Amino acid sequence: MAATVVYWFRQDLRLADNPALLKAVALGSVLPIYILDDETAGCWKMGGASRWWLHQSLTELDRSLYGRLNVYRGRAEELLPQIVEKIAATAVCWNRCYEPWRIERDSIIKTRLTELGCPVYSNNGSLLWEPWQVLKKQGGPYKVFTPYYRKGCLSQPPPRAPLAAPAELELADPDDNCLSLAELGLLDGYPWHDKLTTCWSPGEVGGWRRLTAFLEQGLAGYREGRDFPAREHVSKLSPSLHFGELSPHQVWHAATAGALRQNLADDLDHFHSELAWREFSYYLLYHFPHLPDANFQPKFDRFPWQSEREPLSAWQQGLTGYPIVDAGMRELWQTGFMHNRVRMIVASFLVKNQLQHWHDGERWFWDCLLDADLASNSASWQWVAGCGADAAPYFRIFNPVSQGQRFDADGRYVRRFVPELARLPDRYLHSPWEAPASVLTQAGVVLGENYPQPFVDLKASRQRALDAYAAVKSV
Ligand code: FAD
C-alpha cells in the first residue's frame, strides 16, 4: 500500500514555492488538510475581514486541488492525531508559523505525533530569514531595524530562489469526516461580502495577478510614490503574503527581475526593505513573544491612557472631523485595507491626540484588516505609539492637517472616502473648519450636521500627549 502523508496547510495557501508540500509529495500520496483552530488561537482568533479572505482563499485552493481539500474545525492538537490514526498516515508535513500560540501548539503536536510513530517534517515557507539565524555579533537579537536588515539579513545568504509547484500531486482519498467549506462558518455574522468581492481576488492566481500588475505599473516610482495614498504605487500584496498565497521569496525575486528589466535599483531597494519590515516584525514577535500584549518598553506601563469610549467610537466610525483620519478609517471599513501612510496617521491620532491605548487600535485593525497579522500589527502599533522596538519617538506626533496637505494635496483620497467634503476646494479640504461660511455653504458642508466638527483641538491634544509622555519618560 502506498504511504499516505498528511499535508497541513496553514499560512501557505498555495501550491508553488511550497517546500513542505514538495516534501510531502516526495514521501507518498498526500491528504491535504486545513484546520480552523479558533480554540487554540483564543483571543487571537481571526477577525471578521480575515475570515472573509480565508474563505475565498480556501475556495481557490480547493479548486486547484480538484475539490480534494479536507477542512476541519476544532483543536488541531486533538484533530491531527485522530486524522493520522484514521488514515494510518506515515508522516505529517507543514511549513512553520511564528505566532507564539502556534509555536507552542505545534511543538505539542510534534511530540504527540512522534510518540504515535508518525514523523513530522517542518520547513520554512513564509520568511526570507529564520529569526534565529540573524543575531548580533555579540549574540542576542537586534532591536533596531536598519542594522537588523543591512548588517544582519543582508550578510546572510540571499533569499533562496522560489520552487516550482509539484509536477505531479497524487492525492489520497478524501476523509469522510471533514467539513464542507460552508460548514466552517467563516462568513457567518459578517456583512462584508459584497463590498469586499468588488475590490479583491483572494487566492494564488489573484495574488500573482496583483503582483504582476504592481511590477508593471507600480514599482517604477515606488520609493516616492508609496507615501501617497491616492497613487497606485503600493502592491496591496499584504493579505496574499499574510495567508501565504504568495511567498516572500516569490515576491522578492519577481521584484528583482521586474526592476532589472526597468532599471529601477532605488525603487527595488526600497521595496525589498519593506518586505524586510515584515521580516523584522516576525523577528521581534519570535524573540519577544509578548509583543502583542505588553509594551516593549516597560516604562509605558505607567502611561496615563484615557478610558472614555467616545473618542474610540468616533475614530472607528471615521467621524473625528479630521478628513484624512476619517478617510482612512472609512477606507478600512469599506475595503478591509488602509494605505500604510494613513495607517500611521490614524494610529498616531488615536494614541496621541486621543490618548487611547494602542491595544484599542490594534484590536479594531485585527477585526477589520484583510491583512491582519499578529506580528506586523502589534509591531506597527507599538512603533507608532512610541513604546515599541526602534519606535518612532513619542514626541513625533503626526499632524493630520499637514499630513493630508502633503500626501493628499489634490484631495483625491479624501474625496473618495469622505464624499460629503468632495465639493470643498483643495485649500480647505484638510481643515474644513477654517473655510469661510460662504465656501462651506457652496460646497454643501454644514459642520456639526453632515460632517463633524473636529473631535479634539490639535494643539491642546498634542500638548496633553507630550505632558503625559514627560510623566513616564524618566522612569
Ligand atoms: P507595499 O508597500 O507594497 O509593501 C510590500 C509588502 O511589504 C507588504 O505587503 C507587507 O507585507 C510588507 N510591508 C510593507 N510595509 C510594512 C510595514 N511597515 N511593516 C510590516 N510589513 C510591511 N501590515 C500587515 O501586513 N498586517 C497588519 O496587520 C498591519 N498592521 C499595521 C498597523 C499599523 C498601525 C501600521 C502603521 C502598519 C501596519 N502594517 C500591517 C504594515 C503596513 O501598513 C502594511 O503591510 C502595508 O500597508 C501593506 O500594503 P502593501 O501590501 O501595499 O505594501
Side-chain angles (χ1 to χ4, degrees), residues 238-254:
S238 45
S240 302
L241 282 163
H242 170 76
F243 285 98
E245 298 164 347
L246 296 179
S247 73
H249 304 83
Q250 292 171 314
V251 177
W252 177 280
H253 285 285

Side-chain angles (χ1 to χ4, degrees), residues 260-472:
L260 261 180
R261 278 194 302 274
Q262 303 171 67
N263 207 3
L264 304 173
D266 275 3
D267 291 319
L268 178 67
D269 184 58
H270 219 88
F271 185 69
H272 277 169
S273 79
E274 293 308 323
L275 290 174
W277 271 102
R278 173 179 177 274
E279 299 281 316
F280 187 51
S281 302
Y282 275 91
Y283 181 83
L284 290 175
L285 183 63
Y286 178 80
H287 288 289
F288 306 98
H290 296 302
L291 190 73
D293 311 305
N295 297 315
F296 192 87
Q297 299 178 40
K299 69 181 179 199
F300 276 83
D301 293 352
R302 292 161 42 115
F303 194 87
W305 304 109
Q306 304 293 298
S307 56
E308 75 267 32
R309 296 292 79 175
E310 216 190 322
L312 178 64
S313 166
W315 179 82
Q316 288 170 335
Q317 295 175 65
L319 293 173
T320 65
Y322 288 95
I324 191 98
V325 175
D326 294 340
M329 298 311 294
R330 296 185 202 183
E331 177 185 22
L332 176 62
W333 186 249
Q334 286 167 31
T335 70
F337 187 83
M338 195 194 298
H339 186 277
N340 180 61
R341 164 70 38 188
V342 190
R343 290 187 204 203
M344 293 193 290
I345 299 170
V346 304
S348 170
F349 188 82
L350 183 76
V351 296
K352 295 182 178 172
N353 297 99
Q354 297 190 311
L355 281 196
Q356 299 284 303
H357 200 295
W358 61 269
H359 278 154
D360 292 324
E362 179 198 34
R363 293 307 318 198
W364 185 251
F365 272 30
W366 183 256
D367 199 27
C368 298
L369 276 174
L370 292 164
D371 64 24
D373 181 278
L374 195 59
S376 296
N377 201 32
S378 40
S380 301
W381 273 99
Q382 293 231 31
W383 184 88
V384 178
C387 54
D390 192 15
Y394 186 83
F395 51 79
R396 185 170 171 211
I397 299 177
F398 285 82
N399 179 318
V401 177
S402 50
Q403 288 284 312
Q405 287 164 343
R406 182 162 170 210
F407 295 109
D408 188 38
D410 62 6
R412 265 197 295 151
Y413 180 72
V414 161
R415 288 195 173 89
R416 177 171 170 210
F417 290 105
V418 190
E420 61 270 38
L421 299 182
R423 288 162 54 211
L424 270 183
D426 291 353
R427 182 170 170 201
Y428 299 111
L429 188 64
H430 294 286
S431 53
W433 60 90
E434 287 178 345
S438 59
V439 173
L440 289 172
T441 309
Q442 214 174 14
V445 177
V446 186
L447 290 178
E449 284 189 25
N450 60 2
Y451 187 70
Q453 296 278 3
F455 197 87
V456 287
D457 176 77
L458 279 188
K459 208 167 155 207
S461 61
R462 181 172 195 280
Q463 193 51 51
R464 187 177 63 151
L466 293 175
D467 292 346
Y469 176 61
V472 299

Side-chain angles (χ1 to χ4, degrees), residues 17-314:
D17 195 36
N18 189 327
L21 180 61
L22 287 173
K23 174 75 184 172
V25 169
L27 293 174
S29 69
V30 176
L31 184 82
I33 68 167
Y34 181 86
I35 301 174
L36 180 67
D37 187 354
D38 285 338
E39 284 89 335
T40 318
C43 65
W44 293 116
K45 74 177 192 185
M46 258 173 270
S50 304
R51 284 172 186 268
W52 176 85
W53 190 284
L54 178 63
H55 179 89
Q56 311 300 330
S57 194
L58 289 176
T59 306
E60 290 302 311
L61 182 65
D62 186 42
R63 199 169 290 153
S64 44
L65 292 167
Y66 314 102
R68 306 274 285 279
L69 177 66
N70 298 263
V71 298
Y72 306 83
R73 192 177 53 212
R75 275 187 185 281
E77 201 179 316
E78 287 159 17
L79 284 167
L80 255 178
Q82 287 166 14
I83 298 167
V84 161
E85 290 204 298
K86 183 170 173 210
I87 65 163
T90 50
V92 173
C93 299
W94 67 58
N95 287 309
R96 286 189 275 281
C97 291
Y98 300 86
E99 288 82 359
W101 66 269
R102 284 196 165 109
I103 292 179
E104 194 183 335
R105 176 197 64 182
D106 293 351
S107 83
I108 293 171
I109 295 176
K110 204 165 186 171
T111 309
R112 175 91 186 93
L113 293 180
T114 312
E115 282 165 5
L116 289 175
C118 175
V120 170
Y121 299 96
S122 65
N123 288 72
N124 173 4
S126 27
L127 291 182
L128 299 169
W129 297 280
E130 289 284 18
W132 50 86
Q133 280 171 349
V134 182
L135 295 172
K136 292 199 277 196
K137 269 212 180 83
Q138 57 276 36
Y142 288 96
K143 293 182 187 166
V144 178
F145 173 75
T146 303
Y148 157 77
Y149 177 50
R150 302 275 167 199
K151 277 199 202 151
C153 300
L154 294 184
S155 64
Q156 300 286 316
R160 61 162 176 75
L163 308 162
E168 276 179 48
L169 181 53
E170 192 190 325
L171 293 169
D173 291 337
D175 175 11
D176 46 20
N177 272 354
C178 73
L179 303 173
S180 69
L181 268 174
E183 284 170 320
L184 277 192
L186 288 165
L187 302 182
D188 294 353
Y190 290 97
W192 295 87
H193 317 174
D194 294 346
K195 63 183 187 186
L196 296 181
T197 311
T198 56
C199 19
W200 298 96
S201 312
E204 197 170 357
V205 173
W208 271 105
R209 231 181 271 137
R210 193 171 279 282
L211 174 58
T212 310
F214 168 68
L215 296 179
E216 283 168 6
Q217 291 144 31
L219 185 59
Y222 176 80
R223 188 193 172 117
E224 198 219 331
R226 63 179 288 276
D227 268 324
F228 294 81
R231 297 192 195 165
E232 299 293 325
H233 278 296
V234 289
S235 68
K236 294 193 172 178
L237 285 172
S238 45
S240 302
L241 282 163
H242 170 76
F243 285 98
E245 298 164 347
L246 296 179
S247 73
H249 304 83
Q250 292 171 314
V251 177
W252 177 280
H253 285 285
T256 308
L260 261 180
R261 278 194 302 274
Q262 303 171 67
N263 207 3
L264 304 173
D266 275 3
D267 291 319
L268 178 67
D269 184 58
H270 219 88
F271 185 69
H272 277 169
S273 79
E274 293 308 323
L275 290 174
W277 271 102
R278 173 179 177 274
E279 299 281 316
F280 187 51
S281 302
Y282 275 91
Y283 181 83
L284 290 175
L285 183 63
Y286 178 80
H287 288 289
F288 306 98
H290 296 302
L291 190 73
D293 311 305
N295 297 315
F296 192 87
Q297 299 178 40
K299 69 181 179 199
F300 276 83
D301 293 352
R302 292 161 42 115
F303 194 87
W305 304 109
Q306 304 293 298
S307 56
E308 75 267 32
R309 296 292 79 175
E310 216 190 322
L312 178 64
S313 166

